[in-house]
Amino acid sequence: GNSVTQMEGPVTLSEEAFLTINCTYTATGYPSLFWYVQYPGEGLQLLLKATKADDKGSNKGFEATYRKETTSFHLEKGSVQVSDSAVYFCALSLDGNNRLAFGKGNQVVVIP
Amino acid sequence: EAGVAQSPRYKIIEKRQSVAFWCNPISGHATLYWYQQILGQGPKLLIQFQNNGVVDDSQLPKDRFSAERLKGVDSTLKIQPAKLEDSAVYLCASSTRQGAYEQYFGPGTRLTVT
């Protein structure tokens, strides 16, 4: 079936460090790929998306590139801030209904 | 613009009891989704509505879960009877139309079944 796998465990890093969160997918077709973020006490919100291979999504200093050859959509940010502390979810959708399949999420904690 | 509203925010019930959750999507959004998020996992889609019609309910446990979206606006999700494994956060989301990329999520209802 169609699924998303995120790296295990929370991520703790210092302010201004480089952040990478790995995401790989399994899909029968060519999905659209998303990163959603959940800040403490808030609902999930779309961070960025890519709808075809080699597309790069970007927002708020975060980037992710749709890599069909490695079936990956890793999230990166060059210099994190304390305000980036949140849970990050990778997701895919395969059809015109945009039904999302989410990964398990990664808790990111940025310490000053 | 007001976001997606959900109530209640928290609910504690005993197993075999019934419970209902309410969602008010963003005004004008035609598509509404209910997700279940068990602790430590990503959200799982339960049901998708387009206006007041069901688009997909393939992952809804229909023996105990039901949902409706009367008049194509507000929606309710009901569980009857609840089981321990139903403990989760129930998220409602909406989008402008079927197939729109961005879904807007509410804050969720945290259900604890004891």
Side-chain angles (χ1 to χ4, degrees), chain A residues 7-41:
Chain A
M7 52 194 279
E8 291 289 330
V11 178
T12 302
L13 59 169
S14 299
E15 203 165 23
E16 299 183 3
F18 185 87
L19 171 68
T20 299
I21 306 176
N22 290 340
C23 170
T24 57
Y25 67 88
T26 302
T28 52
Y30 299 100
S32 295
L33 300 172
F34 307 83
W35 279 99
Y36 274 79
V37 59
Q38 187 170 30
Y39 298 104

PDB file of all heavy atoms in Angstrom, chain A residues 7-41:
ATOM      1  N   MET A   7      12.089   8.996  10.052  1.00  0.00           N
ATOM      2  CA  MET A   7      13.134   8.516  10.949  1.00  0.00           C
ATOM      3  C   MET A   7      12.592   8.422  12.365  1.00  0.00           C
ATOM      4  O   MET A   7      11.710   9.194  12.755  1.00  0.00           O
ATOM      5  CB  MET A   7      14.325   9.478  10.910  1.00  0.00           C
ATOM      6  CG  MET A   7      13.961  10.921  11.159  1.00  0.00           C
ATOM      7  SD  MET A   7      15.270  12.070  10.718  1.00  0.00           S
ATOM      8  CE  MET A   7      16.302  11.966  12.162  1.00  0.00           C
ATOM      9  N   GLU A   8      13.130   7.477  13.115  1.00  0.00           N
ATOM     10  CA  GLU A   8      12.640   7.246  14.461  1.00  0.00           C
ATOM     11  C   GLU A   8      13.141   8.313  15.426  1.00  0.00           C
ATOM     12  O   GLU A   8      14.223   8.858  15.264  1.00  0.00           O
ATOM     13  CB  GLU A   8      13.128   5.877  14.963  1.00  0.00           C
ATOM     14  CG  GLU A   8      12.485   4.697  14.254  1.00  0.00           C
ATOM     15  CD  GLU A   8      11.020   4.528  14.624  1.00  0.00           C
ATOM     16  OE1 GLU A   8      10.648   4.891  15.769  1.00  0.00           O
ATOM     17  OE2 GLU A   8      10.261   4.032  13.781  1.00  0.00           O
ATOM     18  N   GLY A   9      12.339   8.570  16.454  1.00  0.00           N
ATOM     19  CA  GLY A   9      12.804   9.323  17.597  1.00  0.00           C
ATOM     20  C   GLY A   9      12.733  10.824  17.471  1.00  0.00           C
ATOM     21  O   GLY A   9      12.660  11.373  16.376  1.00  0.00           O
ATOM     22  N   PRO A  10      12.723  11.501  18.626  1.00  0.00           N
ATOM     23  CA  PRO A  10      12.756  12.961  18.623  1.00  0.00           C
ATOM     24  C   PRO A  10      14.116  13.476  18.185  1.00  0.00           C
ATOM     25  O   PRO A  10      15.113  12.756  18.218  1.00  0.00           O
ATOM     26  CB  PRO A  10      12.473  13.310  20.086  1.00  0.00           C
ATOM     27  CG  PRO A  10      12.956  12.135  20.852  1.00  0.00           C
ATOM     28  CD  PRO A  10      12.724  10.947  19.969  1.00  0.00           C
ATOM     29  N   VAL A  11      14.124  14.731  17.785  1.00  0.00           N
ATOM     30  CA  VAL A  11      15.354  15.388  17.371  1.00  0.00           C
ATOM     31  C   VAL A  11      15.574  16.580  18.295  1.00  0.00           C
ATOM     32  O   VAL A  11      14.704  17.452  18.409  1.00  0.00           O
ATOM     33  CB  VAL A  11      15.259  15.870  15.909  1.00  0.00           C
ATOM     34  CG1 VAL A  11      16.526  16.606  15.505  1.00  0.00           C
ATOM     35  CG2 VAL A  11      14.981  14.703  14.968  1.00  0.00           C
ATOM     36  N   THR A  12      16.715  16.598  18.944  1.00  0.00           N
ATOM     37  CA  THR A  12      17.065  17.717  19.820  1.00  0.00           C
ATOM     38  C   THR A  12      18.329  18.357  19.288  1.00  0.00           C
ATOM     39  O   THR A  12      19.310  17.663  19.021  1.00  0.00           O
ATOM     40  CB  THR A  12      17.297  17.240  21.264  1.00  0.00           C
ATOM     41  OG1 THR A  12      16.113  16.576  21.732  1.00  0.00           O
ATOM     42  CG2 THR A  12      17.588  18.431  22.178  1.00  0.00           C
ATOM     43  N   LEU A  13      18.287  19.654  19.109  1.00  0.00           N
ATOM     44  CA  LEU A  13      19.458  20.343  18.593  1.00  0.00           C
ATOM     45  C   LEU A  13      19.504  21.765  19.120  1.00  0.00           C
ATOM     46  O   LEU A  13      18.511  22.288  19.632  1.00  0.00           O
ATOM     47  CB  LEU A  13      19.501  20.320  17.058  1.00  0.00           C
ATOM     48  CG  LEU A  13      18.384  20.907  16.228  1.00  0.00           C
ATOM     49  CD1 LEU A  13      18.823  20.974  14.774  1.00  0.00           C
ATOM     50  CD2 LEU A  13      17.105  20.112  16.326  1.00  0.00           C
ATOM     51  N   SER A  14      20.665  22.366  18.981  1.00  0.00           N
ATOM     52  CA  SER A  14      20.885  23.716  19.480  1.00  0.00           C
ATOM     53  C   SER A  14      20.448  24.749  18.448  1.00  0.00           C
ATOM     54  O   SER A  14      20.399  24.471  17.242  1.00  0.00           O
ATOM     55  CB  SER A  14      22.359  23.928  19.809  1.00  0.00           C
ATOM     56  OG  SER A  14      22.780  23.023  20.806  1.00  0.00           O
ATOM     57  N   GLU A  15      20.111  25.912  18.945  1.00  0.00           N
ATOM     58  CA  GLU A  15      19.750  27.022  18.059  1.00  0.00           C
ATOM     59  C   GLU A  15      20.868  27.257  17.043  1.00  0.00           C
ATOM     60  O   GLU A  15      22.051  27.129  17.364  1.00  0.00           O
ATOM     61  CB  GLU A  15      19.519  28.270  18.887  1.00  0.00           C
ATOM     62  CG  GLU A  15      18.656  29.306  18.231  1.00  0.00           C
ATOM     63  CD  GLU A  15      18.149  30.354  19.215  1.00  0.00           C
ATOM     64  OE1 GLU A  15      18.796  30.539  20.272  1.00  0.00           O
ATOM     65  OE2 GLU A  15      17.105  30.967  18.946  1.00  0.00           O
ATOM     66  N   GLU A  16      20.481  27.551  15.810  1.00  0.00           N
ATOM     67  CA  GLU A  16      21.367  27.816  14.672  1.00  0.00           C
ATOM     68  C   GLU A  16      21.977  26.550  14.085  1.00  0.00           C
ATOM     69  O   GLU A  16      22.743  26.644  13.118  1.00  0.00           O
ATOM     70  CB  GLU A  16      22.460  28.825  15.026  1.00  0.00           C
ATOM     71  CG  GLU A  16      21.894  30.195  15.433  1.00  0.00           C
ATOM     72  CD  GLU A  16      22.970  31.219  15.719  1.00  0.00           C
ATOM     73  OE1 GLU A  16      24.159  30.884  15.552  1.00  0.00           O
ATOM     74  OE2 GLU A  16      22.621  32.340  16.099  1.00  0.00           O
ATOM     75  N   ALA A  17      21.647  25.401  14.604  1.00  0.00           N
ATOM     76  CA  ALA A  17      22.142  24.149  14.005  1.00  0.00           C
ATOM     77  C   ALA A  17      21.374  23.833  12.737  1.00  0.00           C
ATOM     78  O   ALA A  17      20.306  24.395  12.458  1.00  0.00           O
ATOM     79  CB  ALA A  17      22.000  23.008  15.017  1.00  0.00           C
ATOM     80  N   PHE A  18      21.935  22.879  11.964  1.00  0.00           N
ATOM     81  CA  PHE A  18      21.300  22.416  10.730  1.00  0.00           C
ATOM     82  C   PHE A  18      20.360  21.261  11.047  1.00  0.00           C
ATOM     83  O   PHE A  18      20.709  20.342  11.777  1.00  0.00           O
ATOM     84  CB  PHE A  18      22.397  21.941   9.752  1.00  0.00           C
ATOM     85  CG  PHE A  18      21.867  21.549   8.397  1.00  0.00           C
ATOM     86  CD1 PHE A  18      21.713  22.498   7.413  1.00  0.00           C
ATOM     87  CD2 PHE A  18      21.534  20.229   8.112  1.00  0.00           C
ATOM     88  CE1 PHE A  18      21.229  22.147   6.151  1.00  0.00           C
ATOM     89  CE2 PHE A  18      21.057  19.871   6.863  1.00  0.00           C
ATOM     90  CZ  PHE A  18      20.906  20.818   5.886  1.00  0.00           C
ATOM     91  N   LEU A  19      19.169  21.340  10.491  1.00  0.00           N
ATOM     92  CA  LEU A  19      18.156  20.316  10.747  1.00  0.00           C
ATOM     93  C   LEU A  19      17.885  19.506   9.486  1.00  0.00           C
ATOM     94  O   LEU A  19      17.678  20.064   8.406  1.00  0.00           O
ATOM     95  CB  LEU A  19      16.842  20.972  11.199  1.00  0.00           C
ATOM     96  CG  LEU A  19      15.619  20.053  11.302  1.00  0.00           C
ATOM     97  CD1 LEU A  19      15.788  19.060  12.440  1.00  0.00           C
ATOM     98  CD2 LEU A  19      14.342  20.871  11.486  1.00  0.00           C
ATOM     99  N   THR A  20      17.879  18.184   9.647  1.00  0.00           N
ATOM    100  CA  THR A  20      17.400  17.284   8.600  1.00  0.00           C
ATOM    101  C   THR A  20      16.457  16.282   9.219  1.00  0.00           C
ATOM    102  O   THR A  20      16.783  15.687  10.251  1.00  0.00           O
ATOM    103  CB  THR A  20      18.553  16.508   7.930  1.00  0.00           C
ATOM    104  OG1 THR A  20      19.458  17.423   7.328  1.00  0.00           O
ATOM    105  CG2 THR A  20      18.017  15.565   6.861  1.00  0.00           C
ATOM    106  N   ILE A  21      15.296  16.106   8.622  1.00  0.00           N
ATOM    107  CA  ILE A  21      14.362  15.054   9.012  1.00  0.00           C
ATOM    108  C   ILE A  21      14.097  14.215   7.773  1.00  0.00           C
ATOM    109  O   ILE A  21      13.658  14.722   6.745  1.00  0.00           O
ATOM    110  CB  ILE A  21      13.024  15.608   9.538  1.00  0.00           C
ATOM    111  CG1 ILE A  21      13.236  16.605  10.667  1.00  0.00           C
ATOM    112  CG2 ILE A  21      12.147  14.449  10.021  1.00  0.00           C
ATOM    113  CD1 ILE A  21      11.958  17.262  11.149  1.00  0.00           C
ATOM    114  N   ASN A  22      14.397  12.921   7.906  1.00  0.00           N
ATOM    115  CA  ASN A  22      14.268  12.036   6.749  1.00  0.00           C
ATOM    116  C   ASN A  22      12.833  11.554   6.555  1.00  0.00           C
ATOM    117  O   ASN A  22      12.119  11.273   7.523  1.00  0.00           O
ATOM    118  CB  ASN A  22      15.174  10.821   6.909  1.00  0.00           C
ATOM    119  CG  ASN A  22      16.638  11.191   6.783  1.00  0.00           C
ATOM    120  OD1 ASN A  22      16.984  12.231   6.225  1.00  0.00           O
ATOM    121  ND2 ASN A  22      17.511  10.340   7.299  1.00  0.00           N
ATOM    122  N   CYS A  23      12.455  11.449   5.296  1.00  0.00           N
ATOM    123  CA  CYS A  23      11.136  10.936   4.942  1.00  0.00           C
ATOM    124  C   CYS A  23      11.265  10.144   3.649  1.00  0.00           C
ATOM    125  O   CYS A  23      11.804  10.651   2.658  1.00  0.00           O
ATOM    126  CB  CYS A  23      10.147  12.082   4.738  1.00  0.00           C
ATOM    127  SG  CYS A  23       8.556  11.585   4.022  1.00  0.00           S
ATOM    128  N   THR A  24      10.830   8.895   3.676  1.00  0.00           N
ATOM    129  CA  THR A  24      10.758   8.107   2.453  1.00  0.00           C
ATOM    130  C   THR A  24       9.335   7.612   2.274  1.00  0.00           C
ATOM    131  O   THR A  24       8.572   7.529   3.242  1.00  0.00           O
ATOM    132  CB  THR A  24      11.719   6.907   2.496  1.00  0.00           C
ATOM    133  OG1 THR A  24      11.418   6.111   3.643  1.00  0.00           O
ATOM    134  CG2 THR A  24      13.157   7.361   2.573  1.00  0.00           C
ATOM    135  N   TYR A  25       8.994   7.284   1.044  1.00  0.00           N
ATOM    136  CA  TYR A  25       7.617   6.890   0.776  1.00  0.00           C
ATOM    137  C   TYR A  25       7.560   5.635  -0.088  1.00  0.00           C
ATOM    138  O   TYR A  25       8.512   5.301  -0.799  1.00  0.00           O
ATOM    139  CB  TYR A  25       6.842   8.024   0.117  1.00  0.00           C
ATOM    140  CG  TYR A  25       7.307   8.370  -1.282  1.00  0.00           C
ATOM    141  CD1 TYR A  25       6.794   7.709  -2.401  1.00  0.00           C
ATOM    142  CD2 TYR A  25       8.264   9.349  -1.488  1.00  0.00           C
ATOM    143  CE1 TYR A  25       7.230   8.008  -3.676  1.00  0.00           C
ATOM    144  CE2 TYR A  25       8.704   9.669  -2.763  1.00  0.00           C
ATOM    145  CZ  TYR A  25       8.192   8.997  -3.848  1.00  0.00           C
ATOM    146  OH  TYR A  25       8.630   9.294  -5.113  1.00  0.00           O
ATOM    147  N   THR A  26       6.446   4.969   0.008  1.00  0.00           N
ATOM    148  CA  THR A  26       6.113   3.840  -0.863  1.00  0.00           C
ATOM    149  C   THR A  26       4.769   4.160  -1.492  1.00  0.00           C
ATOM    150  O   THR A  26       3.809   4.481  -0.778  1.00  0.00           O
ATOM    151  CB  THR A  26       6.009   2.529  -0.067  1.00  0.00           C
ATOM    152  OG1 THR A  26       7.249   2.282   0.599  1.00  0.00           O
ATOM    153  CG2 THR A  26       5.678   1.360  -0.980  1.00  0.00           C
ATOM    154  N   ALA A  27       4.715   4.122  -2.808  1.00  0.00           N
ATOM    155  CA  ALA A  27       3.469   4.475  -3.486  1.00  0.00           C
ATOM    156  C   ALA A  27       3.373   3.727  -4.804  1.00  0.00           C
ATOM    157  O   ALA A  27       4.383   3.470  -5.457  1.00  0.00           O
ATOM    158  CB  ALA A  27       3.397   5.982  -3.719  1.00  0.00           C
ATOM    159  N   THR A  28       2.148   3.428  -5.201  1.00  0.00           N
ATOM    160  CA  THR A  28       1.935   2.699  -6.452  1.00  0.00           C
ATOM    161  C   THR A  28       2.002   3.623  -7.656  1.00  0.00           C
ATOM    162  O   THR A  28       2.187   3.172  -8.770  1.00  0.00           O
ATOM    163  CB  THR A  28       0.571   2.001  -6.439  1.00  0.00           C
ATOM    164  OG1 THR A  28      -0.436   2.976  -6.099  1.00  0.00           O
ATOM    165  CG2 THR A  28       0.558   0.901  -5.398  1.00  0.00           C
ATOM    166  N   GLY A  29       1.855   4.902  -7.452  1.00  0.00           N
ATOM    167  CA  GLY A  29       1.898   5.849  -8.563  1.00  0.00           C
ATOM    168  C   GLY A  29       2.869   6.963  -8.264  1.00  0.00           C
ATOM    169  O   GLY A  29       3.924   6.745  -7.671  1.00  0.00           O
ATOM    170  N   TYR A  30       2.484   8.167  -8.663  1.00  0.00           N
ATOM    171  CA  TYR A  30       3.329   9.340  -8.454  1.00  0.00           C
ATOM    172  C   TYR A  30       2.608  10.297  -7.507  1.00  0.00           C
ATOM    173  O   TYR A  30       1.770  11.081  -7.934  1.00  0.00           O
ATOM    174  CB  TYR A  30       3.640  10.003  -9.797  1.00  0.00           C
ATOM    175  CG  TYR A  30       4.381   9.066 -10.722  1.00  0.00           C
ATOM    176  CD1 TYR A  30       3.703   8.383 -11.728  1.00  0.00           C
ATOM    177  CD2 TYR A  30       5.735   8.838 -10.558  1.00  0.00           C
ATOM    178  CE1 TYR A  30       4.381   7.495 -12.556  1.00  0.00           C
ATOM    179  CE2 TYR A  30       6.424   7.961 -11.386  1.00  0.00           C
ATOM    180  CZ  TYR A  30       5.733   7.290 -12.381  1.00  0.00           C
ATOM    181  OH  TYR A  30       6.396   6.409 -13.198  1.00  0.00           O
ATOM    182  N   PRO A  31       2.959  10.222  -6.230  1.00  0.00           N
ATOM    183  CA  PRO A  31       2.209  11.005  -5.253  1.00  0.00           C
ATOM    184  C   PRO A  31       2.606  12.474  -5.236  1.00  0.00           C
ATOM    185  O   PRO A  31       3.651  12.856  -5.766  1.00  0.00           O
ATOM    186  CB  PRO A  31       2.596  10.343  -3.926  1.00  0.00           C
ATOM    187  CG  PRO A  31       3.986   9.835  -4.169  1.00  0.00           C
ATOM    188  CD  PRO A  31       4.010   9.397  -5.619  1.00  0.00           C
ATOM    189  N   SER A  32       1.769  13.275  -4.624  1.00  0.00           N
ATOM    190  CA  SER A  32       2.162  14.596  -4.164  1.00  0.00           C
ATOM    191  C   SER A  32       2.671  14.429  -2.735  1.00  0.00           C
ATOM    192  O   SER A  32       2.177  13.579  -1.988  1.00  0.00           O
ATOM    193  CB  SER A  32       0.968  15.561  -4.183  1.00  0.00           C
ATOM    194  OG  SER A  32       0.526  15.759  -5.505  1.00  0.00           O
ATOM    195  N   LEU A  33       3.653  15.231  -2.364  1.00  0.00           N
ATOM    196  CA  LEU A  33       4.304  15.081  -1.065  1.00  0.00           C
ATOM    197  C   LEU A  33       4.201  16.368  -0.262  1.00  0.00           C
ATOM    198  O   LEU A  33       4.258  17.471  -0.835  1.00  0.00           O
ATOM    199  CB  LEU A  33       5.773  14.687  -1.256  1.00  0.00           C
ATOM    200  CG  LEU A  33       6.007  13.375  -1.996  1.00  0.00           C
ATOM    201  CD1 LEU A  33       7.492  13.186  -2.293  1.00  0.00           C
ATOM    202  CD2 LEU A  33       5.486  12.191  -1.183  1.00  0.00           C
ATOM    203  N   PHE A  34       4.071  16.209   1.038  1.00  0.00           N
ATOM    204  CA  PHE A  34       3.818  17.353   1.918  1.00  0.00           C
ATOM    205  C   PHE A  34       4.621  17.215   3.205  1.00  0.00           C
ATOM    206  O   PHE A  34       4.911  16.108   3.666  1.00  0.00           O
ATOM    207  CB  PHE A  34       2.331  17.411   2.316  1.00  0.00           C
ATOM    208  CG  PHE A  34       1.375  17.396   1.159  1.00  0.00           C
ATOM    209  CD1 PHE A  34       0.991  16.201   0.569  1.00  0.00           C
ATOM    210  CD2 PHE A  34       0.858  18.572   0.663  1.00  0.00           C
ATOM    211  CE1 PHE A  34       0.111  16.171  -0.503  1.00  0.00           C
ATOM    212  CE2 PHE A  34      -0.032  18.561  -0.409  1.00  0.00           C
ATOM    213  CZ  PHE A  34      -0.395  17.358  -0.980  1.00  0.00           C
ATOM    214  N   TRP A  35       4.926  18.357   3.794  1.00  0.00           N
ATOM    215  CA  TRP A  35       5.340  18.431   5.185  1.00  0.00           C
ATOM    216  C   TRP A  35       4.330  19.307   5.915  1.00  0.00           C
ATOM    217  O   TRP A  35       4.060  20.441   5.503  1.00  0.00           O
ATOM    218  CB  TRP A  35       6.742  19.006   5.335  1.00  0.00           C
ATOM    219  CG  TRP A  35       7.822  18.013   5.103  1.00  0.00           C
ATOM    220  CD1 TRP A  35       8.560  17.817   3.974  1.00  0.00           C
ATOM    221  CD2 TRP A  35       8.305  17.045   6.051  1.00  0.00           C
ATOM    222  NE1 TRP A  35       9.459  16.793   4.152  1.00  0.00           N
ATOM    223  CE2 TRP A  35       9.320  16.300   5.417  1.00  0.00           C
ATOM    224  CE3 TRP A  35       7.977  16.744   7.386  1.00  0.00           C
ATOM    225  CZ2 TRP A  35      10.010  15.272   6.064  1.00  0.00           C
ATOM    226  CZ3 TRP A  35       8.667  15.721   8.020  1.00  0.00           C
ATOM    227  CH2 TRP A  35       9.658  14.999   7.361  1.00  0.00           C
ATOM    228  N   TYR A  36       3.770  18.732   6.994  1.00  0.00           N
ATOM    229  CA  TYR A  36       2.895  19.483   7.886  1.00  0.00           C
ATOM    230  C   TYR A  36       3.626  19.667   9.214  1.00  0.00           C
ATOM    231  O   TYR A  36       4.420  18.820   9.632  1.00  0.00           O
ATOM    232  CB  TYR A  36       1.577  18.738   8.128  1.00  0.00           C
ATOM    233  CG  TYR A  36       0.515  19.002   7.083  1.00  0.00           C
ATOM    234  CD1 TYR A  36       0.560  18.358   5.847  1.00  0.00           C
ATOM    235  CD2 TYR A  36      -0.521  19.889   7.324  1.00  0.00           C
ATOM    236  CE1 TYR A  36      -0.416  18.601   4.889  1.00  0.00           C
ATOM    237  CE2 TYR A  36      -1.503  20.134   6.374  1.00  0.00           C
ATOM    238  CZ  TYR A  36      -1.439  19.493   5.156  1.00  0.00           C
ATOM    239  OH  TYR A  36      -2.401  19.739   4.208  1.00  0.00           O
ATOM    240  N   VAL A  37       3.308  20.771   9.908  1.00  0.00           N
ATOM    241  CA  VAL A  37       3.945  21.061  11.188  1.00  0.00           C
ATOM    242  C   VAL A  37       2.864  21.337  12.228  1.00  0.00           C
ATOM    243  O   VAL A  37       1.815  21.908  11.920  1.00  0.00           O
ATOM    244  CB  VAL A  37       4.916  22.266  11.069  1.00  0.00           C
ATOM    245  CG1 VAL A  37       4.210  23.520  10.597  1.00  0.00           C
ATOM    246  CG2 VAL A  37       5.623  22.526  12.402  1.00  0.00           C
ATOM    247  N   GLN A  38       3.119  20.872  13.436  1.00  0.00           N
ATOM    248  CA  GLN A  38       2.189  21.105  14.545  1.00  0.00           C
ATOM    249  C   GLN A  38       2.950  21.777  15.672  1.00  0.00           C
ATOM    250  O   GLN A  38       3.748  21.129  16.368  1.00  0.00           O
ATOM    251  CB  GLN A  38       1.575  19.799  15.013  1.00  0.00           C
ATOM    252  CG  GLN A  38       0.478  19.968  16.039  1.00  0.00           C
ATOM    253  CD  GLN A  38      -0.270  18.677  16.291  1.00  0.00           C
ATOM    254  OE1 GLN A  38       0.275  17.582  16.168  1.00  0.00           O
ATOM    255  NE2 GLN A  38      -1.542  18.788  16.652  1.00  0.00           N
ATOM    256  N   TYR A  39       2.719  23.074  15.844  1.00  0.00           N
ATOM    257  CA  TYR A  39       3.333  23.803  16.946  1.00  0.00           C
ATOM    258  C   TYR A  39       2.577  23.492  18.236  1.00  0.00           C
ATOM    259  O   TYR A  39       1.393  23.131  18.194  1.00  0.00           O
ATOM    260  CB  TYR A  39       3.342  25.298  16.663  1.00  0.00           C
ATOM    261  CG  TYR A  39       4.152  25.668  15.456  1.00  0.00           C
ATOM    262  CD1 TYR A  39       3.536  26.011  14.248  1.00  0.00           C
ATOM    263  CD2 TYR A  39       5.548  25.667  15.501  1.00  0.00           C
ATOM    264  CE1 TYR A  39       4.285  26.342  13.127  1.00  0.00           C
ATOM    265  CE2 TYR A  39       6.300  25.988  14.385  1.00  0.00           C
ATOM    266  CZ  TYR A  39       5.657  26.321  13.197  1.00  0.00           C
ATOM    267  OH  TYR A  39       6.395  26.637  12.082  1.00  0.00           O
ATOM    268  N   PRO A  40       3.213  23.627  19.383  1.00  0.00           N
ATOM    269  CA  PRO A  40       2.560  23.300  20.656  1.00  0.00           C
ATOM    270  C   PRO A  40       1.228  24.019  20.822  1.00  0.00           C
ATOM    271  O   PRO A  40       1.143  25.237  20.669  1.00  0.00           O
ATOM    272  CB  PRO A  40       3.588  23.761  21.694  1.00  0.00           C
ATOM    273  CG  PRO A  40       4.904  23.688  20.981  1.00  0.00           C
ATOM    274  CD  PRO A  40       4.620  24.043  19.563  1.00  0.00           C
ATOM    275  N   GLY A  41       0.180  23.249  21.102  1.00  0.00           N
ATOM    276  CA  GLY A  41      -1.125  23.822  21.353  1.00  0.00           C
ATOM    277  C   GLY A  41      -1.894  24.258  20.123  1.00  0.00           C
ATOM    278  O   GLY A  41      -2.974  24.843  20.237  1.00  0.00           O
TER     279      GLY A  41
END
